[in-house]
């Protein structure tokens, strides 16, 4: 029989908290991406990796905060620990690929389309892999068109957020980008949940997995602590918070060492040209 699904068993508490978690992860991750674009290549991988891990942790935390308010009448819900951890790893890796593409190629054209698409697919993959980790006395069924719509929402909004991060227009601009990222994650999540149908057997409790309260609570401590540490990094980076201009990369810095070869290079050919002329002028005198 078809089970009654309730995604708001705690009212608006879980959707609001989930959205804030997605915005927090997006804000910190996109600021790191913005910082990486303005840094020299030697520092860029570190900032991009921090941004990818922050965004991935934020969307993973958002998903399972929202899932704490998800109940199905007639059966308890358990979660597989390994698949739940795997969904976090997938989110970080796929978001990282998209962020690195934009960080090195720029937030425009093909790079933005590719990076935004991969990032959006990472959000969707995390969601549906996390759903696959659910164990209940029944099975899940999805409407294909609604699933496709949820993936399209994730890709479009992720592309918009990465584009905004690449504009480098200050802190308030990044706040707007993080709100877009938060909408991408939460919009994708609840659109995907709208595509869900649950058919309950009504025979027994699920034999595998752990209850949501026992598993999700302790598991979210790590990503939340990481978000706090990433927030400390952002807060204590004045350039990132103020949105001021960054120092030019080392390889492009103006200065005497960089320009001295260019100044001396025209003089050297002239000296070489004068040498043979003077030598030829003295040779007849010696003879």
């Amino acid at each position: 029989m078809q089970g009654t699904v309730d995604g708001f068993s705690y009212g608006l508490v879980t959707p609001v908290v989930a959205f804030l978690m997605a915005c927090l992860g997006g804000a910190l991750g996109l600021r790191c991406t913005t910082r990486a674009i303005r840094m020299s290549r030697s520092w860029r991988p570190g900032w991009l990796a921090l941004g990818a891990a922050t965004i991935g942790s934020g969307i993973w935390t958002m998903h399972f905060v929202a899932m704490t308010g998800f109940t199905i009448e007639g059966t308890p819900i358990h979660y597989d620990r390994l698949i739940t951890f795997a969904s976090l790893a997938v989110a970080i890796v796929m978001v990282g690929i998209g962020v690195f593409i934009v960080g090195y190629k720029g937030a425009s054209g093909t790079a933005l389309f590719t990076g935004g698409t991969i990032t959006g697919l990472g959000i969707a993959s995390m969601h549906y892999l996390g759903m696959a980790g659910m164990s209940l006395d029944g099975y899940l069924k999805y409407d294909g068109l609604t699933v496709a719509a949820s993936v399209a929402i994730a890709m479009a909004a992720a592309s918009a957020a990465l584009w905004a991060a690449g504009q480098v227009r200050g802190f308030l601009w990044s706040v707007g980008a993080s709100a877009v990222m938060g909408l991408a994650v939460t919009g994708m999540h609840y659109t995907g949940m709208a595509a869900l149908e649950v058919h309950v057997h009504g025979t027994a409790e699920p034999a595998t997995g752990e209850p949501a309260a026992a598993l999700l609570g302790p598991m979210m401590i790590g990503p939340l602590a990481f978000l706090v540490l990433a927030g400390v990094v952002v807060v204590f980076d004045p350039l990132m918070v103020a949105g001021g201009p960054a120092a030019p990369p080392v390889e492009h810095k103006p200065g005497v060492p960089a320009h001295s070869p260019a100044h001396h290079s025209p003089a050297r050919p002239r000296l070489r040209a004068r040498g043979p002329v003077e030598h030829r002028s003295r040779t007849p005198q010696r003879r």
Side-chain angles (χ1 to χ4, degrees), residues 24-83:
L24 176 62
L28 298 177
L30 293 175
R31 287 304 291 169
C32 291
T33 303
T34 300
R35 187 71 163 94
I37 294 174
R38 297 152 61 187
M39 291 293 292
S40 63
R41 287 184 175 269
S42 60
W43 287 92
R44 194 171 299 173
W47 283 109
L48 292 176
L50 179 61
T54 305
I55 295 174
S57 299
I59 63 178
W60 186 89
T61 305
M62 173 271 150
H63 173 81
F64 286 104
V65 166
M67 290 305 294
T68 57
F70 179 78
T71 58
I72 301 173
E73 184 180 356
T75 178
I77 302 174
H78 290 181
Y79 289 87
D80 181 86
R81 183 182 294 271
L82 181 60
I83 297 178

Side-chain angles (χ1 to χ4, degrees), residues 120-121 123-124 127-128 142-158 183-195:
L121 290 176
I123 296 172
H127 172 86
Y128 288 107
Y142 293 95
D143 177 71
L145 289 177
T146 310
V147 169
S150 69
V151 176
I153 290 172
M155 292 189 298
L183 289 175
V185 179
T186 53
M188 183 273 143
H189 175 85
Y190 285 106
T191 303
M193 297 305 291

